[in-house]
Amino acid sequence: MILSSIQGLPPFRLVDLIDIVLVAVFFYYLYRLLKGTNAVSIFIGFMLIFFSWKIVSFCDMKLLSEIIGQFISVGVLAIIVIFQAEIRQFLLRLGSNSWSSRWLSRLFSKTKEGEQNLDVTSIVQACGHMSQTLTGALIVICKDNPLEQIIQTGDAFTSQISSQLLETIFFKNTPLHDGAVIISNGEIKAARCILPVSKNQSIPVSMGLRHRSAIGITEQTDAISVIVSEQTGKISVAKQGVVRQGLSLNELQQYLNSEFND
């Protein structure tokens, strides 16, 4: 009986194996994206309801299947609302990591003709001096996204990058020191800007609001954040929601050159 039922199944094809592997890869990257957040528990809850719906449907429990089915149909919209930050981050990583997206962004970029190389040396020198004096700093460097809405939250101006100007902006007694500096197209575009704060609960408690803001902007955009800690003087960079701490000046120079000037 069992053998006959197994023999009645459709043959296992190569495309079925590829389908299984792709689903496994999808869930693996989804787990990495949600790891350390409350979204994991919510996602597990939705999956339990989904599998329960499959089980009651298989057992032909029509009433219960109808009730859970209605919840599942509404639950798709609920997932989009609840996981909007994670979906945005997933799409950002997908779009920024593929070679096709980089080619298209260069093709349709509005600032391609007037694009300038980033003055990495001035940024590194300013970070080095501020690190020695324990001066907190948060510098956000734009890529394809010009961060126009973020610039509007601060004091907008246009200036060439210089280490002296950056150090003056973040000097504790100046009105512009509290917030982020935005650099776009090789120029300083604004200071005292307000950034979105990351809600990722896996961020260590030792990281304060400056680091959480630096991570938050990179979760939602393709920008790179450079942070100088006011407590320790350590230099960090954040990209796509991931922060690297304790960079030396040489490492910072190489990192920024690889991101903007290669």
Side-chain angles (χ1 to χ4, degrees):
M1 192 67 137
I2 297 177
L3 290 177
S4 62
S5 62
I6 294 177
Q7 291 174 355
L9 293 175
F12 188 80
R13 303 167 299 169
L14 177 61
V15 68
D16 297 323
L17 177 61
I18 297 175
D19 187 24
I20 294 173
V21 172
L22 291 178
V23 170
V25 171
F26 170 76
F27 277 103
Y28 169 72
Y29 279 102
L30 186 63
Y31 168 76
R32 287 187 58 183
L33 183 64
L34 301 180
K35 183 180 179 182
T37 68
N38 287 332
V40 174
S41 301
I42 299 174
F43 178 75
I44 292 175
F46 272 112
M47 292 303 298
L48 289 176
I49 295 175
F50 176 77
F51 285 119
S52 300
W53 176 53
K54 287 296 184 181
I55 292 173
V56 298
S57 299
F58 179 78
C59 297
D60 201 22
M61 300 179 183
K62 296 182 179 180
L63 181 59
L64 189 58
S65 177
E66 181 70 19
I67 294 174
I68 300 179
Q70 291 296 326
F71 179 82
I72 291 293
S73 61
V74 178
V76 174
L77 296 177
I79 288 176
I80 296 176
V81 173
I82 294 173
F83 295 109
Q84 57 179 327
E86 286 76 13
I87 293 174
R88 185 190 300 112
Q89 185 179 354
F90 172 76
L91 294 177
L92 174 62
R93 291 185 179 182
L94 181 64
S96 60
N97 287 337
S98 61
W99 66 268
S100 58
S101 66
R102 290 194 290 267
W103 181 80
L104 288 173
S105 65
R106 291 173 183 172
L107 181 64
F108 294 105
S109 176
K110 296 181 180 179
T111 61
K112 184 178 180 181
E113 293 182 358
E115 186 177 358
Q116 303 179 26
N117 285 334
L118 181 67
D119 186 359
V120 171
T121 301
S122 295
I123 296 176
V124 172
Q125 288 178 352
C127 291
H129 295 158
M130 291 186 290
S131 174
Q132 293 176 353
T133 58
L134 297 181
T135 301
L138 175 50
I139 303 171
V140 178
I141 310 172
C142 304
K143 284 193 169 182
D144 295 324
N145 190 332
L147 302 182
E148 293 176 353
Q149 294 182 346
I150 300 297
I151 290 174
Q152 292 175 2
T153 65
D155 296 327
F157 61 92
T158 299
S159 174
Q160 295 297 319
I161 301 173
S162 70
S163 59
Q164 293 85 354
L165 178 57
L166 288 173
E167 292 176 52
T168 300
I169 290 174
F170 288 111
F171 184 66
K172 297 179 181 180
N173 294 331
T174 61
L176 296 178
H177 82 281
D178 190 15
V181 163
I182 307 298
I183 295 177
S184 178
N185 196 24
E187 296 178 329
I188 298 176
K189 295 296 185 181
R192 207 169 62 88
C193 294
I194 301 173
L195 305 183
V197 180
S198 175
K199 298 180 180 179
N200 189 343
Q201 295 186 347
S202 64
I203 298 176
V205 181
S206 58
M207 293 188 184
L209 186 60
R210 181 176 287 113
H211 285 80
R212 288 183 174 272
S213 298
I215 295 172
I217 191 63
T218 63
E219 288 176 341
Q220 300 184 17
T221 70
D222 60 350
I224 302 291
S225 297
V226 180
I227 316 102
V228 179
S229 173
E230 188 175 358
Q231 285 74 32
T232 63
K234 290 183 178 180
I235 301 173
S236 307
V237 293
K239 176 183 178 182
Q240 295 181 348
V242 179
V243 62
R244 291 177 54 186
Q245 292 183 280
L247 271 70
S248 66
L249 296 182
N250 288 334
E251 290 173 335
L252 179 62
Q253 180 101 22
Q254 294 174 3
Y255 183 87
L256 294 180
N257 277 326
S258 65
E259 290 288 339
F260 295 98
N261 292 337
D262 282 353

